[in-house]
Amino acid sequence: MISLLLILIPLFTGLLTFFLKQEKTAKNFSIFSSVITLGTVCIAIFFAQNNQLLFNTQWLPALGSRFSISLDGMSKALVLLTAISFPVVFIATYTNKYKSSHSFYALMLLTQAGLMGVFMATDALLFYFFWELALIPVYFLSSIWGGEKRIAVTFKFFIYTFIGSLLMLVGILYLYFNTVVPSFQIKDLLAAKISLKEQNILFWLFFIAFAIKMPIFPLHTWQPDAYEQSPTAVTMILSGVMVKMGLFAVLRWLVPLFPESAKTYSNIVIALSVIGMIYASLIAIKQDDIKRLIAYSSIAHIGLMCATIFTQTVIGTTGVMLQMFNHGINVIGLWIVADAIEQQLGTRKFSELGGLAQKAPSLAILFVILALANIALPLTNAFVGEFLMFNSLFQYNVWVAAIAGISIILAAVYTLNMVQKILYGNTVAATEKALDTTLNINWMLIVLVVIVFALGVYPQPIIDLTKDTVNVIVQNR
Amino acid sequence: MEIMKTLLAFIVLWPLVGFLVNGLGRNYFSKKRIAFYASEQIFASFIASIIVFILIKNNGAQGDITYFNFIHIGKLIIPFAFKIDQLSAIFLLIITGIGFLIHVYSAAYMQQEEQAHYGRYFSYLNLFIFSMLLLVLGANYVIMFIGWEGVGLCSYLLIGFWFKNDNYNYAAKKAFIMNRIGDLGFLLAIFWMIAKLGTANYSDVFSNVSQLSTTDITAITILLFIGAMGKSAQIPLYTWLPDAMAGPTPVSALIHAATMVTAGIYMVARSNVLYSLSEVAQNLVAITGLVTALFAATIAIKQNDIKKVLAYSTVSQLGYMFLGLGVGAYTGAVFHVMTHAFFKALLFLGAGSVIHAMHHEQDIRKMGGLKKYLPITHITFLIGCIAISGIPPFSGFFSKDEILAAAYAHNPVYWGIGVATAGLTAFYMFRLYATTFLGSFRGTPEQAHHLHESPSAMTIPLIILAILSVVGGLVGVPESLGGHHALHQFLSPVLLTEVKYETTHSTEYMLMGLSVAIAATAIVIAIVTYSKKPQISNSTGVGKLLENKWYIDELYDAIIVKPLGSLASFLKNVIEKSGIDAAVNGVGKLVNYSSRQLRLLQNGQVGGYILLMVLGMIVIVLIWVNDGYIYRFLMNLFFAK
């Protein structure tokens, strides 16, 4: 029952926010709502009994689809991430101005409801429903409140994800018509009678859908543009939480549904992922825009996670689950910094920045810590995840691990470039009169940095959240 | 056991707390308080390290001390555990002892800095010590790796300490990235161990070494050594270290003597069980060390920056240590780490004192005759030069001799190159000494007017280090000279002893005599040549080649940095923009075009999307109404079985 609340709270407060015409009320109410959600998630994860985390009821009886959700080991970390992200994003971007801001915040909350549903749904049609619920508001958010090129960019984003969604829908329906009883429940889909050949085709239908969302090379070109053009609050959610939808779907649906195909095609998927890692890292080196650099860096990190999933080991899968959470924390932190810089100085170009450390020491320190977490320095949160994932890749193939490992070096190159060009050197025209961060941003960054170190030194709490499910996933194979 | 657990926790935590307190409070505390607090934290660790050392000396080493499980997934357990034995105890003393002296020295040296930067400096210094302590105390390779990357980070922060200067920032970045290249090797070695043995604990790896094939051992040791090459600045990953002198001079002392570069030596010595089983790896280590030693020494001859000469001498001396490790003289290598820590810290701090007096002039051609202005710096610097040149009974003689003797037993050619390098070392060190301290002053009258001996906070560490540089060798006096080699006995439980090659005493005397004679000759030549006239003329030919460091930086630029940059630009501008994205946009345009034809998206894309959604829903319902007939029909059409 408590798991249902995690969807209902953002859903209803979101709908309500549409009617809060006062800008300030809408903002404060959204923060209030997201904090309540966070509190509920904490109670659910750390205090509730297991049976309270399930919810299962009739939904579309005619179709045999049920409203069944479960806050299990697989979804806990990501639900927690979703719950942490929204208040952090709302507070850090508090001073940003939006026209008709009530709609903006309402759509954001609807996205949150969709995300919660995606991570918890155990019914394929329900999953599809939430998948769309999470995406459609983002589409509006980007096309209405985005940058100059927002229409073209959002259109590209829309076409991509729309094609992906359609492919997934076809796949779900095909499975549905082959179940023993008409049902979209994951356990019934698992029992569906399909031949190996059908499995292989369905595997690609689903994989392309999820690969677009992650994104995996070469289906990634919508992402840097979308990240650049969306309002930063939306970008934070897109890259912090929403890219995990694709990875999560692979773990929850794709690999368990088509285990043989996942094994057969693992080398293709891993090859694409690793190519993407190196490719995106190299392109990141040449970026002159903070947002685009973070976007390409994110593609590289996601590539590692996707590759690791297909190595199918307990260690690797745990690493992926851990990293999905930590990557969300780190990348949101980096976006907050990028937004703080853009809002104050009016530029995101490295060539127009420099010497900011002299003017904004506090922002500089927090930024450096997050940048170091981005390159997985030990004792920051990302290290353990990357260590486990590379370990798993190594067991899959020594050379794959070695080649993928080059991205560790390249990550240091582009991240330190970014830090140097923004923070160090002498001040330039844009940074001459820069001020240190506002309190909101400062505090939110401190919260994230505390998480960075806490999970860097003691990652076990998140590992334990995922423990049981990881064993189940891997044993199923 | 409990006492040890607590002591070690404090040894590591004190510097960490110092880092946090000074880092967060740098705007609130006075400079005096910052310096005092930072130094005091390290001093506390030093005292505790002495106690630990005594406990180990009396009671022997203990098992792993586990604090908590860092990672625990199924069968993979990586504990956050410390291992304290003779080897780590020695390193504890070096790190905290020398580290403390450098802190004290820094208090005066950095006095010109603003308060906030002064605090930042000392907090980084504390963090450096913390990382290095973690590195040597870890009971498994993962904890070592944490410290390993930690020192890399600290060197990055401190080399780029004066971050307004972009050249310094490049040097800092270069250090970090070169280290990361090595780190990748280290990581792969850890993965290899975990894949084969399921553990990265020293004790488990070493006791189960029989389960590893020769290929495994060779691969693991070579990968580990790649890590060591990065951290300890060996060919081909050495070019960051000479650039690292961009940082404040005491930092160079810290990097070159107490922390950082000795990490590679520690790692190989720690893994001596593995290295002894792989002849390939041992030869690689020895030859890399030997080549690096000679190569760096040739460059040092022609450098005119006081810190650069010292930097190349460090690269060269580290080469000696790897030579020692490669020929199985593990104790000798650790011994040389220790004596080198004394005299190299002394030389760098002495150089700092000179630079301080010269108002940040580092070019030795503009110095000269400083002997009478800086008496304490002069005499201590001279002691450092004698020690590094291997003149008995100064400390460098004993440790270098031990390595050279083992090299001779292994292969006389190694010895020959080693001795030639020793001659070069003596030559460039006394060239440096003579140009700086002898002759007449060549700076501006303005500089001459301000020449002064440094304050006592700087000279006292110099004096202490000078004493250590003189007597430090006595812990390892070889049997042939009537000693017991106390260090050898102390380390014997941890480090394997190479018994295969024993040389007779008479051979040993001959070898010692030869190397001392060569060094002494080189010293005389250097003093005669450089004490009167400085070398100002521009070099040509080989000299120019050496002056420009064999153009290795330019070479790396041409074969790695530039091509990689071009590749990245090509990917960004051609493949990404005109390739993949253009193709996607092409598809997009096609969709746009056809949709315009269908007039589906006339009211903007949003309307179209919702319409499509609704259509989709209708299709679903239709499919359901017909008991899936339409769907099946379509599916059969597309996926005919």
Side-chain angles (χ1 to χ4, degrees):
Chain A
M1 195 57 201
I2 192 165
S3 50
L4 184 63
L5 279 179
L6 302 182
I7 297 169
L8 292 183
I9 295 171
L11 185 66
F12 283 118
T13 52
L15 291 174
L16 202 60
T17 311
F18 272 117
F19 303 101
L20 301 173
K21 297 294 179 193
Q22 285 268 321
E23 186 187 345
K24 205 147 199 180
T25 326
K27 277 185 178 177
N28 291 338
F29 184 67
S30 312
I31 293 172
F32 173 74
S33 155
S34 59
V35 170
I36 295 289
T37 311
L38 177 58
T40 317
V41 167
C42 290
I43 293 169
I45 289 179
F46 299 110
F47 300 105
Q49 304 291 320
N50 269 339
N51 55 6
Q52 291 173 302
L53 301 178
L54 300 170
F55 183 79
N56 196 335
T57 187
Q58 290 280 6
W59 186 40
L60 303 171
L63 285 170
S65 176
R66 296 181 66 81
F67 193 102
S68 66
I69 54 175
S70 158
L71 182 58
D72 56 7
M74 193 140 217
S75 45
K76 274 179 186 162
L78 287 171
V79 165
L80 184 62
L81 175 66
T82 312
I84 293 174
S85 314
F86 278 82
V88 168
V89 169
F90 285 154
I91 296 172
T93 59
Y94 191 80
T95 50
N96 294 12
K97 296 263 180 271
Y98 308 101
K99 54 172 188 193
S100 51
S101 61
H102 54 285
S103 309
F104 182 88
Y105 282 96
L107 288 168
M108 287 289 275
L109 288 172
L110 289 185
T111 305
Q112 190 184 20
L115 283 166
M116 291 287 188
V118 165
F119 295 137
M120 291 192 295
T122 54
D123 179 287
L125 197 63
L126 188 66
F127 173 77
Y128 181 77
F129 172 80
F130 281 125
W131 181 279
E132 295 299 330
L133 180 62
L135 282 175
I136 294 170
V138 168
Y139 179 52
F140 283 105
L141 286 166
S142 301
S143 62
I144 298 173
W145 287 277
E148 293 159 24
K149 290 183 283 181
R150 62 182 184 275
I151 297 297
V153 164
T154 320
F155 185 61
K156 195 201 273 184
F157 170 54
F158 156 70
I159 290 293
Y160 251 124
T161 43
F162 183 66
I163 291 171
S165 302
L166 276 185
L167 293 177
M168 174 166 59
L169 186 62
V170 170
I172 291 174
L173 290 177
Y174 191 90
L175 271 179
Y176 169 68
F177 287 117
N178 286 290
T179 50
V180 185
V181 287
S183 162
F184 287 99
Q185 291 289 298
I186 190 162
K187 62 176 192 310
D188 295 319
L189 295 183
L190 281 172
K193 289 197 200 84
I194 46 171
S195 69
L196 207 57
K197 197 180 158 198
E198 288 169 296
Q199 251 205 50
N200 288 345
I201 293 166
L202 288 170
F203 173 85
W204 286 108
L205 285 184
F206 278 94
F207 180 73
I208 291 171
F210 302 148
I212 289 171
K213 199 78 217 68
M214 283 190 252
I216 290 300
F217 175 89
L219 302 172
H220 63 275
T221 53
W222 64 269
Q223 202 191 45
D225 290 339
Y227 285 5
E228 188 190 356
Q229 291 298 319
S230 299
T232 314
V234 177
T235 306
M236 291 174 195
I237 297 304
L238 264 175
S239 70
V241 190
M242 291 192 93
V243 293
K244 314 300 184 303
M245 282 165 56
L247 287 165
F248 171 83
V250 171
L251 271 174
R252 167 91 100 194
W253 299 93
L254 182 65
V255 178
L257 283 176
F258 316 112
E260 280 85 10
S261 312
K263 226 166 246 153
T264 317
Y265 296 125
S266 63
N267 45 8
I268 298 179
V269 175
I270 290 174
L272 282 178
S273 307
V274 172
I275 291 171
M277 286 170 72
I278 304 295
Y279 177 84
S281 302
L282 281 171
I283 290 184
I285 294 176
K286 286 285 162 188
Q287 293 304 323
D288 187 40
D289 180 303
I290 311 172
K291 279 189 156 184
R292 291 187 78 85
L293 187 143
I294 303 173
Y296 279 103
S297 151
S298 184
I299 294 173
H301 285 123
I302 299 291
L304 175 60
M305 294 184 228
C306 181
T308 310
I309 292 176
F310 283 85
T311 60
Q312 305 201 5
T313 62
V314 176
I315 291 175
T317 310
T318 311
V320 173
M321 308 267 268
L322 186 62
Q323 189 65 358
M324 284 201 279
F325 182 85
N326 287 330
H327 175 261
I329 297 291
N330 298 344
V331 88
I332 288 174
L334 288 176
W335 287 122
I336 293 177
V337 173
D339 191 43
I341 291 171
E342 188 183 8
Q343 293 291 332
Q344 201 200 137
L345 308 177
T347 180
R348 295 189 312 252
K349 292 210 176 310
F350 299 139
S351 43
E352 295 168 10
L353 291 166
L356 199 57
Q358 296 163 45
K359 299 287 173 180
S362 158
L363 179 73
I365 291 167
L366 294 164
F367 181 32
V368 168
I369 294 172
L370 289 163
L372 294 172
N374 191 46
I375 56 178
L377 202 82
L379 298 189
T380 65
N381 55 354
F383 170 69
V384 182
E386 283 208 0
F387 178 81
L388 296 172
M389 290 192 288
F390 276 112
N391 198 347
S392 178
L393 269 188
F394 185 90
Q395 286 177 20
Y396 175 79
N397 183 308
V398 178
W399 293 106
V400 168
I403 292 168
I406 294 172
S407 72
I408 301 180
I409 300 163
L410 297 177
V413 176
Y414 61 72
T415 308
L416 296 184
N417 266 342
M418 169 173 73
V419 167
Q420 180 188 344
K421 284 176 184 160
I422 295 175
L423 296 181
Y424 302 151
N426 274 314
T427 50
V428 292
T431 52
E432 201 55 65
K433 294 204 177 70
L435 304 170
D436 214 340
T437 52
T438 58
L439 275 183
N440 294 348
I441 292 174
N442 216 14
W443 278 108
M444 287 307 105
L445 288 177
I446 288 172
V447 167
L448 295 177
V449 162
V450 167
I451 298 177
V452 164
F453 286 124
L455 292 178
V457 176
Y458 193 62
Q460 210 61 36
I462 303 288
I463 292 178
D464 287 342
L465 280 188
T466 66
K467 196 149 64 182
D468 303 330
T469 324
V470 169
N471 290 334
V472 174
I473 304 168
V474 180
Q475 274 158 19
N476 269 348
R477 289 166 194 174
Chain B
M1 194 75 182
E2 274 306 308
I3 297 174
M4 199 57 115
K5 188 170 181 176
T6 321
L7 268 177
L8 291 180
F10 276 120
I11 288 177
V12 172
L13 285 177
W14 275 322
L16 181 65
V17 171
F19 158 70
L20 290 174
V21 169
N22 273 339
L24 296 172
R26 65 193 186 288
N27 290 321
Y28 311 106
F29 303 151
S30 68
K31 280 191 198 175
K32 210 171 188 174
R33 166 129 196 237
I34 289 168
F36 179 79
Y37 188 70
S39 315
E40 169 222 68
Q41 295 298 92
I42 306 301
F43 189 69
S45 290
F46 177 57
I47 297 296
S49 300
I50 292 177
I51 300 172
V52 167
F53 180 81
I54 293 168
L55 285 174
I56 293 289
K57 196 169 187 315
N58 294 340
N59 309 335
Q62 297 179 324
D64 295 359
I65 300 169
T66 305
Y67 292 89
F68 60 90
N69 276 344
F70 182 51
I71 300 172
H72 179 189
I73 300 165
K75 272 181 253 160
L76 178 70
I77 298 176
I78 299 189
F80 200 101
F82 287 161
K83 179 172 194 69
I84 182 74
D85 59 8
Q86 288 82 355
L87 184 61
S88 36
I90 295 246
F91 271 87
L92 278 190
L93 287 181
I94 298 175
I95 296 162
T96 54
I98 309 260
F100 169 67
L101 293 177
I102 293 170
H103 273 71
V104 173
Y105 179 96
S106 297
Y109 188 85
M110 299 298 284
Q111 200 58 44
Q112 312 278 324
E113 293 295 317
E114 280 171 40
Q115 180 193 352
H117 293 300
Y118 196 74
R120 190 163 61 91
Y121 174 83
F122 276 98
S123 68
Y124 290 168
L125 231 47
N126 273 197
L127 187 66
F128 214 142
I129 303 282
F130 164 76
S131 305
M132 194 64 198
L133 290 172
L134 215 52
L135 192 157
V136 297
L137 277 176
N140 57 59
Y141 284 99
V142 178
I143 303 299
M144 189 200 265
F145 186 77
I146 294 176
W148 191 268
E149 287 237 303
V151 292
L153 167 69
C154 296
S155 63
Y156 167 76
L157 293 172
L158 282 164
I159 294 167
F161 179 75
W162 288 308
F163 56 72
K164 282 186 202 170
N165 184 328
D166 254 333
N167 286 336
Y168 295 178
N169 293 327
Y170 283 115
K173 206 167 63 183
K174 184 176 178 183
F176 193 90
I177 290 164
M178 280 224 156
N179 270 291
R180 269 246 151 160
I181 297 172
D183 292 355
L184 178 59
F186 191 170
L187 266 184
L188 292 173
I190 298 178
F191 297 149
W192 205 302
M193 284 177 227
I194 292 179
K196 296 290 170 180
L197 300 172
T199 176
N201 292 345
Y202 301 144
S203 48
D204 298 326
V205 172
F206 301 152
S207 58
N208 291 316
V209 82
S210 55
Q211 291 175 27
L212 294 172
S213 69
T214 321
T215 324
D216 289 337
I217 294 177
T218 305
I220 291 172
T221 45
I222 289 179
L223 287 170
L224 282 177
F225 182 56
I226 291 175
M229 282 175 180
K231 199 107 308 183
S232 296
Q234 295 296 291
I235 290 173
L237 298 178
Y238 72 96
T239 58
W240 67 269
L241 188 61
D243 290 6
M245 51 155 226
T249 309
V251 171
S252 308
L254 195 63
I255 291 178
H256 290 251
T259 61
M260 191 82 185
V261 295
T262 55
I265 316 291
Y266 172 78
M267 178 219 256
V268 176
R270 173 58 78 194
S271 318
N272 67 83
V273 177
L274 296 174
Y275 279 90
S276 309
L277 294 172
S278 170
E279 209 167 312
V280 180
Q282 274 198 310
N283 283 332
L284 179 71
V285 172
I287 292 170
T288 308
L290 200 58
V291 173
T292 309
L294 181 62
F295 187 77
T298 59
I299 298 175
I301 292 177
K302 280 285 178 184
Q303 298 306 308
N304 291 319
D305 183 313
I306 185 167
K307 286 173 78 179
K308 263 212 162 137
V309 177
L310 293 177
Y312 279 103
S313 89
T314 304
V315 176
S316 176
Q317 296 299 309
L318 288 165
Y320 268 114
M321 297 175 208
F322 279 107
L323 170 65
L325 294 170
V327 298
Y330 299 110
T331 319
V334 174
F335 188 19
H336 202 53
V337 166
M338 192 182 94
T339 58
H340 177 259
F342 299 150
F343 57 68
K344 190 47 68 64
L346 170 61
L347 289 168
F348 260 112
L349 295 184
S353 180
V354 169
I355 295 166
H356 190 70
M358 295 285 298
H359 286 270
H360 298 281
E361 178 59 65
Q362 303 193 8
D363 192 332
I364 52 172
R365 288 169 299 189
K366 294 177 185 154
M367 297 176 185
L370 296 184
K371 186 173 152 184
K372 61 173 182 251
Y373 302 102
L374 306 169
I376 302 176
T377 308
H378 163 250
I379 194 77
T380 51
F381 199 87
L382 178 60
I383 291 173
C385 289
I386 300 175
I388 197 176
S389 302
I391 302 296
F394 287 58
S395 60
F397 164 74
F398 295 102
S399 53
K400 199 180 274 184
D401 172 67
E402 190 173 336
I403 292 174
L404 286 176
Y408 180 82
H410 199 85
N411 185 341
V413 177
Y414 288 5
W415 177 84
I417 299 173
V419 169
T421 308
L424 288 177
T425 309
F427 179 78
Y428 67 70
M429 284 313 298
F430 276 86
R431 167 181 174 266
L432 177 65
Y433 165 76
T435 325
T436 311
F437 290 99
L438 304 182
S440 53
F441 187 66
R442 292 178 297 273
T444 60
E446 170 75 12
Q447 281 171 325
H449 181 69
H450 285 113
L451 281 176
H452 57 277
E453 182 58 282
S454 302
S456 56
M458 286 164 69
T459 49
I460 291 173
L462 288 179
I463 294 168
I464 298 174
L465 286 167
I467 295 170
L468 288 170
S469 299
V470 176
V471 302
L474 298 181
V475 297
V477 179
E479 225 176 286
S480 53
L481 295 179
H484 298 292
H485 210 313
L487 189 71
H488 205 296
Q489 288 174 0
F490 179 68
L491 285 172
S492 57
V494 199
L495 299 179
L496 299 176
T497 328
E498 194 71 37
V499 282
K500 270 186 277 178
Y501 315 97
E502 275 296 340
T503 41
T504 58
H505 282 184
S506 55
T507 328
E508 251 182 77
Y509 293 138
M510 189 196 74
L511 298 177
M512 278 179 207
L514 259 176
S515 69
V516 171
I518 288 172
T521 319
I523 291 173
V524 173
I525 296 173
I527 290 185
V528 169
T529 318
Y530 293 103
S531 59
K532 287 281 163 350
K533 58 178 174 81
Q535 164 221 33
I536 309 235
S537 57
N538 285 329
S539 317
T540 49
V542 180
K544 190 157 187 216
L545 190 65
L546 296 181
E547 206 169 311
N548 287 293
K549 307 161 274 179
W550 296 93
Y551 294 101
I552 296 295
D553 276 316
E554 288 77 3
L555 181 74
Y556 284 178
D557 233 32
I559 62 168
I560 297 170
V561 181
K562 289 237 171 73
L564 206 63
S566 314
L567 174 65
S569 295
F570 175 75
L571 290 181
K572 180 190 168 210
N573 297 326
V574 181
I575 302 289
E576 180 84 349
K577 217 171 261 169
S578 319
I580 299 174
D581 205 31
V584 170
N585 288 339
V587 175
K589 276 188 191 125
L590 195 70
V591 173
N592 217 349
Y593 174 75
S594 41
S595 63
R596 225 177 284 129
Q597 298 298 308
L598 294 166
R599 296 189 173 271
L600 259 176
L601 296 171
Q602 212 173 25
N603 312 327
Q605 295 86 20
V606 178
Y609 187 51
I610 290 170
L611 186 62
L612 279 175
M613 285 290 296
V614 172
L615 278 179
M617 287 299 167
I618 294 171
V619 170
I620 294 172
V621 173
L622 271 179
I623 288 164
W624 166 69
V625 169
N626 284 301
D627 202 17
Y629 176 78
I630 296 173
Y631 177 75
R632 255 168 231 276
F633 175 75
L634 286 175
M635 279 293 145
N636 281 332
L637 210 64
F638 288 121
F639 307 113
K641 282 175 206 171

